[in-house]
Amino acid sequence: MLRRQLGRKLEALRKAAGLTMEQAAEQLDRARATLYRIENGAENVRFRAADVKEMLSLYDAGDEDSELVLAMAAATRENKNWWHDYIGSGLPRWFQLYIGLEAAASNIRKYQPELVPGLLQTRAYAEQVFQMPGGSIDAKDRDEQQRAIQLRVERQGLLTRFAAPELSVIMNEAVLRRPVGNASIMVEQLRQILKAMKLPNVTVRVLEFSAGLHAGAMTGAFSIMNFPLDGAGKEVEPPVTYLEAATGAIYLDKPHEISAYNSIWADMTDRALNEAQSRSLIQQIAEEYTHA
């Protein structure tokens, strides 16, 4: 997965530089077949730092892209799940990879115990979230906050684009009842969720308090992403489970890891309200905020 993501990133940088594969191969003094294997993340390719830096220089890559690509290349050489804490300035590099995966996914499943998922947040709700300390964006840096909020809003276009992914969300009842900001912010936010639920590719279900102990209680928030099938009926990428913390994230793609999170998701699915019941509860809580 990581090799293919890295290959696609290098391909995008090459194309942004206005170079064909033949032109880039000639200037890098490599065979076209070699560059093809690099951009396809072939298993036998070693992403040596010197080679990657040469490509980044040819493609005139910016500092942020270079930092991300070099970190990914280093991780392929370590041959392990990679843990990103390359915060630097602006948005963290590990989250940039997530955005790429999210955009490529055909199916996204999200569990949220505390907050409305970013793909469903209103701007006002997101502003409240990014004012809190302990996240990857400095709560005192107003410019960075606004960049992050704008990115969150723009990401939501994913749900209405051509060939949009299927989004399935399970959220705890606490997400709906815990005020974020004032009552008007919550009313707007809950109505935004109801609006999103009208999309044919979006499903939102609620885990009531009365559901009791469930498998998600042991995990915290996570996302499971599945990817489109190729002409042979195989996924272009293996499924990925994404877990995020305050200063980094982990990407799980081993079969036993995906199986474990699929089992957790199945347990919560069995316990959650169905769509109609969830919609009714969200409407009820929105009314409660309206009269608060």
Side-chain angles (χ1 to χ4, degrees), residues 14-286:
R14 172 179 60 76
K15 290 180 176 179
L19 294 171
T20 65
M21 188 174 289
E22 289 79 8
Q23 290 170 333
E26 182 179 356
Q27 294 191 49
L28 292 166
D29 195 24
R30 286 175 177 77
R32 184 187 184 281
T34 300
L35 194 57
Y36 177 85
R37 289 196 298 272
I38 289 172
E39 293 187 354
N40 280 272
E43 193 64 31
N44 62 344
V45 172
R46 287 193 63 221
F47 291 97
R48 295 183 299 180
D51 296 338
V52 173
K53 287 178 181 178
E54 186 180 4
M55 296 174 75
L56 291 170
S57 177
L58 175 62
Y59 302 157
D60 198 24
D63 291 341
E64 291 187 359
D65 283 330
S66 296
E67 182 181 354
L68 174 62
V69 167
L70 288 170
M72 293 170 72
T76 66
R77 297 192 295 274
E78 293 169 5
N79 192 30
K80 62 182 181 182
N81 285 325
W82 62 313
W83 183 276
H84 280 279
D85 58 358
Y86 298 92
I87 303 297
S89 61
L91 296 170
R93 303 289 82 77
W94 43 262
F95 189 62
Q96 289 188 14
L97 175 61
Y98 173 77
I99 293 172
L101 289 169
E102 182 182 73
S106 58
N107 180 282
I108 304 169
R109 289 173 285 165
K110 286 182 171 288
Y111 167 58
Q112 269 291 351
E114 297 291 339
L115 294 170
V116 173
L119 286 174
L120 301 179
Q121 288 180 11
T122 64
R123 180 180 287 274
Y125 187 101
E127 287 175 347
Q128 295 293 317
V129 171
F130 281 106
Q131 287 175 14
M132 298 303 295
S136 58
I137 302 297
D138 187 344
K140 297 179 181 179
D141 192 326
R142 183 67 178 172
D143 289 341
E144 293 298 343
Q145 281 185 39
Q146 290 305 309
R147 279 185 62 205
I149 292 166
Q150 184 59 33
L151 172 64
R152 182 154 294 185
V153 171
E154 290 178 1
R155 280 170 54 212
Q156 295 171 3
L158 183 73
L159 301 178
T160 53
R161 74 178 188 190
F162 177 74
E166 297 286 331
L167 174 67
S168 300
V169 174
I170 295 178
M171 63 177 72
N172 282 348
E173 183 177 347
V175 174
L176 309 176
R177 294 197 178 277
R178 180 179 294 110
V180 173
N182 56 36
S184 64
I185 289 176
M186 289 303 297
V187 170
E188 180 190 32
Q189 177 60 78
L190 296 181
R191 288 175 178 168
Q192 170 79 357
I193 295 171
L194 292 169
K195 180 180 178 181
M197 291 175 73
K198 294 179 181 179
L199 294 172
N201 56 313
V202 176
T203 302
V204 178
R205 298 178 61 186
V206 179
L207 265 171
E208 287 187 296
F209 294 135
S210 59
L213 185 64
H214 56 86
M218 317 301 175
T219 67
F222 64 86
S223 299
I224 305 172
M225 290 169 283
N226 291 83
F227 300 91
L229 304 180
D230 62 19
K234 295 182 179 180
E235 285 188 310
V236 297
E237 299 287 354
V240 177
T241 296
Y242 172 79
L243 312 173
E244 184 176 323
T247 58
I250 191 167
Y251 297 80
L252 306 174
D253 62 356
K254 294 182 174 63
H256 73 276
E257 295 167 335
I258 301 302
S259 177
Y261 277 89
N262 280 336
S263 296
I264 292 166
W265 181 266
D267 178 80
M268 291 190 295
T269 299
D270 289 342
R271 300 171 187 272
L273 298 176
N274 63 31
E275 282 190 83
Q277 293 168 331
S278 297
R279 185 179 297 107
S280 178
L281 179 59
I282 295 169
Q283 289 171 335
Q284 173 194 321
I285 297 173

